[in-house]
Amino acid sequence: MDMLLDGFATALTPINLLYACIGVLLGTSVGVLPGIGPAMTVALLLPVTYNVSPEGALIMFAGIYYGGMYGGSTTSILLNTPGESSSVITAIEGNKMAKAGRAAQALATAAIGSFVAGTIGTVLLVALAPSVADWVVNLGAPSYFAIMLLALVAVTAVLGDSKLRGFISLALGLSIGLVGTSTGQPRLTFGNSLLADGIDIVVVAVAIFAIGEALWVAAHLRRRPLEITPVGRPWMGRADWSRSWRPWLRGTAYGFPFGALPAGGAEMPTFLSYITERRLSKHPEEFGHGAIEGVAGPEAANNASAAGTMVPLLALGLPTTATAAVILASMQSYGLQPGPGLFDNEPELVWGLLASLFVANTLLLVLNLPLAPVWAKLLRTPRPYLYAGILFFASLGAYSVNFQWFDLLVLLAFGLLGLAMRRFALPVLPLIIGVILGPQLEYQLGQALQLSEGDWTTLLSEPVAVVAYVVIALIVLVPLVARLRGGGTDPLEKELDDLEKEVRP
């Protein structure tokens, strides 16, 4: 508790409070805009925060993450166009409420549910992350290697419609991570001395997220103006409160544990929350026509998962979402390595970050309820201007990393790669995590084999490692066996596909 109070002393300094406000406002604004998410925003801001203290930069990025998770609900409700994949389920009932003249109530239950779930999730994060770090510090290199391998396989195997595409994306990321001379011998440098230190993760992240997304959206711009549902000041009546508070709590119970799991993310808990509320509701006839429970539960699950994501990120150094991967890259750019040692080596930074999550969550509620009409107007920003600005700032940011023209060529090359990945439906997250975890995976493997004098059986010498390999085998083999035996589609996947079809305008 004393450490948390010290963290609040750090988070509530005027400068850090300013960074939190900037992060929340930026995160909400980019979450509102379709096609732009918190991962892209954090990637764009990475280069410009080099002169900011580590505490200030991470507090701002955490605010962007929380704000982005909230902002996606606004565009889902008002436009039926989710700004984030985790807001897909919100659009099903939220847009129907808006069309029925209840946009204010839908936005209010989303905002208050986000606050409730985010607060509970952050309390759980503060309680669990130090304990997990204390447990992990006793693990050896074989266990670290197995856990990282599990994270790579889990993230790759469950994203997208095709496991093959996921593993292709992972292979690309691991290949990019091999570039350089970290082992003393040049690898994939093609004789270019500028590649001797490897490819900067900041340049890769900005290219894949910002350049790739901007080029993809530019190629698919809709010429007709967006039809935006008018909204007044968000408010909720007594009946709305009565129907929302239980879904908020149930959504939190789904979201936090899924966020903490590799590849858990926010999509599955929001879907499960929606299904639960539809089955438990006393007003089942309203589902599909604007049921407030269908907004309250998924939005709570969405924001609770954001808090859950921070547990493996801080305690293990494992990102489970694209935004967490970019935040990890920002930590590494400051010479910080998230994991069990972080709580002992940088207590002021860690506890300041954890305290700032409470601050950011409160700011979200205080700022976003009155600013809902402003966010609705932001949706009218012309897309050509928006993405032209993104391309400009992405290029400027990438150049400012090392002030070398070569980085601009790398930015363009990986930007085109990001465009191609979207064209062929390759998930982006396995590539980014492959770039970040690939070198660490190689290091832990080298450590394990060096200590055992080359004995490969050392990789199975620790119980945690064995459990991780068993889980990997289950992740890979169980869906394959089920498909061979059943010859059909998983009913849960089918129901999720049907729900996603409902969202498409």
Coordinates of all heavy atoms in Angstrom, one line a residue, residues 32 113 152 174 187 213 309 364:
V32 N -12.2 7.1 -31.4 CA -13.4 7.5 -32.1 C -13.3 7.4 -33.6 O -14.3 7.0 -34.3 CB -13.8 9.0 -31.7 CG1 -14.8 9.6 -32.6 CG2 -14.3 9.0 -30.2
G113 N -19.7 2.3 -17.6 CA -19.3 0.9 -17.5 C -17.8 0.8 -17.7 O -17.1 0.0 -17.0
L152 N 4.1 -16.6 -28.3 CA 4.2 -16.5 -29.7 C 3.1 -17.4 -30.4 O 2.4 -17.0 -31.3 CB 5.6 -16.8 -30.2 CG 6.7 -15.8 -29.9 CD1 8.0 -16.3 -30.3 CD2 6.4 -14.5 -30.6
L174 N 9.9 -12.7 -36.9 CA 11.1 -13.3 -36.4 C 12.3 -13.0 -37.3 O 13.4 -12.8 -36.8 CB 10.9 -14.8 -36.2 CG 9.9 -15.2 -35.1 CD1 9.7 -16.7 -35.1 CD2 10.4 -14.8 -33.7
R187 N 23.9 -10.8 -39.8 CA 22.8 -11.7 -40.3 C 21.8 -10.8 -41.0 O 21.3 -9.8 -40.5 CB 22.1 -12.4 -39.1 CG 22.9 -13.3 -38.3 CD 22.1 -14.1 -37.3 NE 21.5 -13.2 -36.3 CZ 20.9 -13.6 -35.2 NH1 20.9 -14.9 -34.9 NH2 20.3 -12.7 -34.4
E213 N -1.6 1.2 -42.5 CA -3.0 1.4 -42.3 C -3.5 2.7 -43.1 O -4.6 2.6 -43.7 CB -3.4 1.7 -40.8 CG -4.8 1.9 -40.5 CD -5.7 0.7 -40.7 OE1 -5.1 -0.4 -40.7 OE2 -6.9 0.8 -40.8
T309 N -4.4 -6.9 -19.5 CA -3.2 -6.9 -20.4 C -1.9 -6.4 -19.7 O -0.8 -6.9 -20.1 CB -3.5 -6.0 -21.7 OG1 -4.6 -6.6 -22.4 CG2 -2.3 -6.0 -22.6
L364 N -11.1 9.8 -17.7 CA -12.0 9.3 -18.8 C -13.4 9.6 -18.6 O -14.2 10.1 -19.4 CB -11.8 7.8 -19.1 CG -10.7 7.4 -20.0 CD1 -10.5 5.9 -20.0 CD2 -11.0 7.8 -21.4

